[in-house]
Amino acid sequence: MKIAIFDVDDTLIKHALNCQSYYTGYTKNNFKSLLTHMGYEKIYLYTNGTYGHGASVVEHLGLDDKISFIYARDNLRNELHTDYMKPHLNSFTFVNASIQSDCGSTTNEIYFFDDLKKNLEVAKSIGWNTILIQSNGFKERYIDYVFPSIYAALISMI
């Protein structure tokens, strides 16, 4: 099964000043259309932010019907009974096992989009495909793709 996992802050959305150019030319429908054309069978969010923050982003981007689950600090803390979050390996292995259970398969093709290299390094160690979303990012041995924005990534990977 082909699966996408998106970080929220500075991957799907930008909070920095003067970041309007990040969104130039894109609308909710464009973003949703790009995700549809990618052919992902399941899409998840994985954030160190709260579930409420992730849900707000999903609503803002019009993705309510596209997101299978939001892994966030408050619901992961309850499940893991610890404060392990990205980039801790325990957090990634829990999310991976949860996705395998949700999909009913251990042979998923997972694409993880994040803006932090340390998160991608751990994701690569458990077999995920890694996509760095960073305007001036460069490829490391554990990074499969680098794009300046989520839109550039989705357009290039169709």
Side-chain angles (χ1 to χ4, degrees):
M1 186 173 288
K2 187 176 177 185
I3 295 167
I5 304 172
F6 294 97
D7 172 51
V8 175
D9 294 311
D10 295 323
T11 301
L12 281 182
I13 62 168
K14 289 282 188 185
H15 294 295
L17 294 173
N18 302 317
C19 65
Q20 299 306 327
S21 64
Y22 188 82
Y23 302 103
T24 301
Y26 296 97
T27 65
K28 287 181 186 180
N29 289 337
N30 290 14
F31 191 79
K32 194 171 187 173
S33 176
L34 286 171
L35 282 179
T36 300
H37 284 92
M38 295 294 295
Y40 295 117
E41 296 170 70
K42 295 261 188 171
I43 300 172
Y44 301 89
L45 294 190
Y46 183 17
T47 178
N48 283 350
T50 64
Y51 180 88
H53 177 57
S56 292
V57 170
V58 167
E59 182 180 346
H60 175 73
L61 293 174
L63 301 176
D64 305 72
D65 62 331
K66 292 281 183 198
I67 304 300
S68 298
F69 192 78
I70 300 170
Y71 295 96
R73 84 168 152 231
D74 34 4
N75 62 9
L76 281 174
R77 183 179 296 134
N78 293 339
E79 293 296 325
L80 292 169
H81 306 291
T82 69
D83 287 331
Y84 292 140
M85 291 303 305
K86 295 184 294 181
H88 200 282
L89 180 60
N90 287 356
S91 181
F92 278 90
T93 55
F94 176 83
V95 168
N96 194 56
S98 176
I99 289 171
Q100 288 176 353
S101 176
D102 183 44
C103 296
S105 173
T106 59
T107 59
N108 301 307
E109 185 179 352
I110 297 177
Y111 293 84
F112 180 52
F113 298 77
D114 202 301
D115 63 302
L116 297 176
K117 289 181 177 185
K118 61 188 173 185
N119 293 338
L120 296 171
E121 186 171 19
V122 178
K124 189 55 143 180
S125 77
I126 63 168
W128 294 358
N129 296 292
T130 54
I131 300 96
L132 176 64
I133 306 300
Q134 199 175 77
S135 61
N136 58 353
F138 57 93
K139 200 169 179 182
E140 303 278 356
R141 63 177 168 65
Y142 52 87
I143 297 173
D144 296 310
Y145 306 95
V146 179
F147 297 100
S149 71
I150 193 63
Y151 302 107
L154 294 178
I155 288 168
S156 295
M157 295 179 77
I158 288 180

